[in-house]
Coordinates of all heavy atoms in Angstrom, one line a residue:
L1 N -25.8 29.5 36.6 CA -26.3 28.4 35.9 C -27.8 28.6 35.6 O -28.2 28.1 34.5 CB -26.2 27.1 36.7 CG -26.7 25.8 36.1 CD1 -26.0 25.4 34.8 CD2 -26.7 24.6 37.1
L2 N -28.6 29.1 36.6 CA -30.0 29.3 36.4 C -30.5 30.6 36.3 O -30.0 31.6 36.9 CB -30.6 28.6 37.7 CG -30.2 27.1 38.0 CD1 -30.6 26.7 39.4 CD2 -30.8 26.2 36.9
H3 N -31.6 30.8 35.5 CA -32.3 32.0 35.3 C -33.6 31.9 35.9 O -34.4 30.9 35.6 CB -32.4 32.5 33.9 CG -32.9 33.8 33.7 ND1 -34.3 34.1 33.6 CD2 -32.3 35.0 33.4 CE1 -34.4 35.4 33.4 NE2 -33.3 36.0 33.2
P4 N -34.2 32.9 36.7 CA -35.5 32.7 37.3 C -36.6 32.4 36.4 O -37.5 31.5 36.6 CB -35.7 34.1 38.0 CG -34.4 34.6 38.2 CD -33.6 34.1 37.1
N5 N -36.7 33.2 35.2 CA -37.7 33.0 34.3 C -37.5 31.8 33.3 O -38.4 30.9 33.1 CB -37.9 34.3 33.5 CG -38.4 35.4 34.3 OD1 -37.6 36.0 35.0 ND2 -39.7 35.7 34.3
D6 N -36.3 31.8 32.8 CA -36.0 30.8 31.7 C -35.9 29.4 32.2 O -36.2 28.4 31.5 CB -34.7 31.1 31.0 CG -34.9 32.5 30.2 OD1 -36.0 32.9 29.9 OD2 -33.8 33.1 30.0
D7 N -35.5 29.2 33.5 CA -35.2 27.9 34.0 C -36.2 27.4 35.0 O -36.9 26.5 35.0 CB -33.8 27.8 34.5 CG -32.8 28.0 33.4 OD1 -32.9 27.3 32.4 OD2 -31.9 28.8 33.6
I8 N -36.3 28.3 36.1 CA -37.2 27.9 37.3 C -38.6 28.0 36.8 O -39.4 27.2 37.3 CB -36.9 28.8 38.5 CG1 -35.4 29.0 38.7 CG2 -37.6 28.2 39.7 CD1 -34.7 27.6 38.9
N9 N -39.0 28.9 36.0 CA -40.4 29.1 35.5 C -40.7 28.5 34.2 O -41.7 28.8 33.6 CB -40.7 30.7 35.4 CG -42.1 30.9 35.6 OD1 -42.8 30.6 36.5 ND2 -42.8 31.6 34.6
M10 N -39.7 27.6 33.8 CA -40.0 27.0 32.4 C -41.2 26.2 32.3 O -41.6 25.5 33.2 CB -38.7 26.0 32.2 CG -38.6 25.5 30.8 SD -37.3 24.2 30.6 CE -35.9 25.1 30.9
S11 N -42.0 26.5 31.2 CA -43.2 25.8 30.9 C -44.3 26.2 31.8 O -45.3 25.6 32.0 CB -43.0 24.3 30.9 OG -41.9 23.9 30.1
Q12 N -44.1 27.4 32.5 CA -45.2 27.7 33.7 C -45.5 29.2 33.5 O -44.8 29.9 32.7 CB -44.5 27.6 35.0 CG -44.0 26.1 35.2 CD -42.9 26.2 36.3 OE1 -43.2 26.6 37.4 NE2 -41.7 25.8 36.0
S13 N -46.6 29.6 34.3 CA -47.0 31.0 34.3 C -47.4 31.1 35.8 O -47.8 30.2 36.4 CB -48.2 31.3 33.4 OG -48.9 32.4 33.8
S14 N -47.4 32.3 36.3 CA -47.9 32.6 37.6 C -49.4 32.2 37.7 O -49.8 31.7 38.7 CB -47.8 34.0 38.0 OG -46.5 34.4 38.0
N15 N -50.1 32.2 36.6 CA -51.5 32.0 36.5 C -51.8 30.5 36.8 O -53.0 30.1 37.1 CB -52.1 32.4 35.2 CG -52.0 34.0 35.1 OD1 -51.6 34.6 36.0 ND2 -52.4 34.4 34.0
D16 N -50.9 29.5 36.4 CA -51.1 28.2 36.7 C -50.3 27.7 37.9 O -50.7 26.7 38.5 CB -50.9 27.3 35.5 CG -49.5 27.2 34.9 OD1 -48.7 27.9 35.4 OD2 -49.2 26.4 34.1
T17 N -49.2 28.3 38.2 CA -48.5 27.9 39.4 C -49.1 28.2 40.8 O -49.1 27.3 41.7 CB -47.1 28.4 39.4 OG1 -47.1 29.8 39.4 CG2 -46.2 27.9 38.2
F18 N -49.7 29.4 40.8 CA -50.3 29.8 42.2 C -51.5 28.9 42.5 O -51.6 28.4 43.6 CB -50.7 31.2 42.2 CG -50.8 31.7 43.7 CD1 -49.7 32.2 44.3 CD2 -52.1 31.7 44.3 CE1 -49.9 32.7 45.7 CE2 -52.2 32.1 45.6 CZ -51.1 32.5 46.3
P19 N -52.4 28.6 41.5 CA -53.5 27.7 41.8 C -53.1 26.3 42.1 O -53.6 25.6 43.0 CB -54.5 27.8 40.6 CG -53.6 28.4 39.5 CD -52.7 29.3 40.2
T20 N -51.9 25.9 41.5 CA -51.3 24.7 41.8 C -50.9 24.6 43.3 O -51.0 23.6 44.0 CB -50.3 24.3 40.8 OG1 -50.8 24.2 39.5 CG2 -49.6 22.9 41.1
A21 N -50.1 25.6 43.6 CA -49.6 25.7 45.0 C -50.9 25.7 45.9 O -50.7 25.1 47.1 CB -48.8 27.0 45.2
M22 N -51.9 26.3 45.7 CA -53.1 26.3 46.5 C -53.6 24.9 46.7 O -53.9 24.5 47.8 CB -54.2 27.2 45.9 CG -53.9 28.6 45.9 SD -55.1 29.7 45.0 CE -56.6 29.4 45.9
S23 N -53.7 24.2 45.6 CA -54.2 22.8 45.7 C -53.3 21.9 46.5 O -53.7 21.1 47.4 CB -54.3 22.1 44.3 OG -55.3 22.8 43.5
I24 N -52.0 22.0 46.3 CA -51.1 21.2 47.1 C -51.2 21.6 48.5 O -51.2 20.7 49.5 CB -49.6 21.4 46.6 CG1 -49.5 20.9 45.2 CG2 -48.6 20.7 47.5 CD1 -48.2 21.3 44.5
A25 N -51.1 22.9 48.9 CA -51.3 23.2 50.3 C -52.6 22.8 50.9 O -52.6 22.4 52.1 CB -51.1 24.8 50.4
A26 N -53.7 22.9 50.2 CA -54.9 22.5 50.7 C -55.0 21.0 51.0 O -55.5 20.6 52.1 CB -56.1 22.9 49.8
V27 N -54.6 20.2 50.0 CA -54.5 18.8 50.2 C -53.7 18.3 51.4 O -54.1 17.6 52.3 CB -54.2 18.0 48.9 CG1 -53.9 16.5 49.2 CG2 -55.2 18.3 47.9
M28 N -52.5 18.8 51.4 CA -51.6 18.5 52.5 C -52.1 18.9 53.9 O -52.0 18.2 54.9 CB -50.2 19.1 52.3 CG -49.5 18.4 51.0 SD -47.9 19.0 50.7 CE -47.0 18.1 51.9
G29 N -52.7 20.1 53.9 CA -53.3 20.6 55.2 C -54.4 19.6 55.7 O -54.5 19.3 56.9
V30 N -55.3 19.3 54.8 CA -56.5 18.5 55.1 C -56.0 17.1 55.5 O -56.4 16.6 56.6 CB -57.5 18.5 54.1 CG1 -58.6 17.4 54.3 CG2 -58.2 19.8 53.9
E31 N -55.2 16.5 54.7 CA -54.8 15.1 54.9 C -53.8 14.9 56.1 O -53.9 14.0 56.8 CB -54.2 14.6 53.6 CG -55.2 14.1 52.5 CD -54.6 13.3 51.4 OE1 -53.4 13.1 51.4 OE2 -55.5 12.7 50.7
D32 N -52.9 15.9 56.2 CA -51.8 15.7 57.2 C -52.0 16.4 58.5 O -51.3 16.1 59.5 CB -50.5 16.2 56.6 CG -50.0 15.4 55.3 OD1 -50.6 14.3 55.1 OD2 -49.2 15.9 54.5
R33 N -53.0 17.3 58.5 CA -53.2 18.0 59.8 C -54.6 17.8 60.3 O -54.8 17.4 61.5 CB -52.9 19.5 59.6 CG -51.4 19.8 59.2 CD -51.1 21.2 59.4 NE -51.0 21.6 60.7 CZ -50.7 22.8 61.2 NH1 -50.3 23.7 60.3 NH2 -50.7 23.1 62.5
V34 N -55.5 18.2 59.6 CA -56.9 18.2 60.1 C -57.5 16.7 60.4 O -58.0 16.5 61.5 CB -57.9 18.9 59.1 CG1 -59.3 18.8 59.6 CG2 -57.5 20.3 58.8
I35 N -57.3 15.9 59.4 CA -57.8 14.5 59.6 C -57.2 13.8 60.7 O -57.8 13.1 61.5 CB -57.8 13.7 58.2 CG1 -58.8 14.3 57.3 CG2 -58.0 12.3 58.4 CD1 -58.9 13.7 55.9
P36 N -55.9 13.8 60.9 CA -55.2 13.3 62.1 C -55.7 13.8 63.4 O -55.9 13.1 64.4 CB -53.7 13.4 61.8 CG -53.5 13.5 60.4 CD -54.8 14.3 59.9
A37 N -56.0 15.1 63.4 CA -56.5 15.7 64.6 C -57.9 15.3 64.9 O -58.3 15.0 66.0 CB -56.5 17.3 64.5
I38 N -58.7 15.1 63.9 CA -60.1 14.6 64.0 C -60.0 13.1 64.7 O -60.7 12.8 65.6 CB -60.8 14.5 62.7 CG1 -61.2 15.9 62.2 CG2 -62.1 13.6 62.9 CD1 -61.9 16.0 60.9
D39 N -59.0 12.4 64.1 CA -58.9 10.9 64.6 C -58.5 10.9 66.0 O -58.9 10.1 66.8 CB -57.9 10.2 63.7 CG -58.4 9.9 62.3 OD1 -59.6 9.9 62.1 OD2 -57.5 9.6 61.4
T40 N -57.7 11.9 66.5 CA -57.2 11.9 67.9 C -58.4 12.1 68.8 O -58.6 11.4 69.8 CB -56.1 13.0 68.0 OG1 -55.0 12.7 67.3 CG2 -55.8 13.1 69.5
L41 N -59.3 13.1 68.4 CA -60.4 13.5 69.3 C -61.4 12.3 69.2 O -62.0 12.0 70.3 CB -60.9 14.8 68.8 CG -62.0 15.4 69.8 CD1 -61.5 15.5 71.2 CD2 -62.3 16.9 69.2
V42 N -61.6 11.7 68.1 CA -62.6 10.6 67.9 C -62.2 9.4 68.9 O -63.0 8.8 69.5 CB -62.7 10.1 66.5 CG1 -63.3 8.7 66.4 CG2 -63.5 11.1 65.6
N43 N -60.8 9.2 68.9 CA -60.4 8.1 69.7 C -60.6 8.4 71.2 O -60.9 7.4 72.0 CB -58.9 7.7 69.5 CG -58.7 7.1 68.2 OD1 -59.5 6.4 67.6 ND2 -57.5 7.3 67.5
T44 N -60.4 9.6 71.6 CA -60.7 9.9 73.0 C -62.2 9.8 73.3 O -62.6 9.3 74.4 CB -60.3 11.4 73.3 OG1 -58.9 11.6 73.1 CG2 -60.7 11.9 74.7
F45 N -63.1 10.2 72.4 CA -64.5 10.0 72.6 C -64.9 8.5 72.7 O -65.8 8.1 73.4 CB -65.3 10.7 71.5 CG -65.3 12.2 71.7 CD1 -65.5 13.0 70.6 CD2 -65.2 12.8 73.0 CE1 -65.4 14.4 70.7 CE2 -65.2 14.2 73.1 CZ -65.3 15.0 72.0
K46 N -64.3 7.6 71.9 CA -64.5 6.3 71.9 C -64.2 5.7 73.3 O -64.9 4.9 73.8 CB -63.7 5.5 70.8 CG -64.2 5.7 69.4 CD -63.4 4.9 68.4 CE -63.9 5.1 66.9 NZ -63.0 4.4 66.0

C-alpha cells in the first residue's frame, strides 16, 4: 500500500524533517525530563 518516498515522505524533505525531529526531541526532553528532575531536587531543598 505504501511507498517510502511517495507516501511516508509526502510533502517533506530530509532537510525539513530532521530539524523538526530535533525540535520535538529537544522540547520533550526539556519539558518531560529535565524540568521535572529540577522540581524534585528543589522540593528536597525546600
Side-chain angles (χ1 to χ4, degrees):
L1 177 68
L2 304 170
H3 186 278
N5 297 81
D6 295 336
D7 297 306
I8 315 304
N9 203 58
M10 186 186 297
S11 308
Q12 306 152 63
S13 162
S14 298
N15 296 353
D16 66 349
T17 58
F18 200 88
T20 297
M22 291 171 66
S23 293
I24 294 170
V27 168
M28 295 183 74
V30 170
E31 285 195 344
D32 298 343
R33 300 195 67 178
V34 179
I35 289 178
I38 290 175
D39 289 340
T40 297
L41 192 50
V42 163
N43 288 334
T44 294
F45 287 150
K46 286 181 178 178

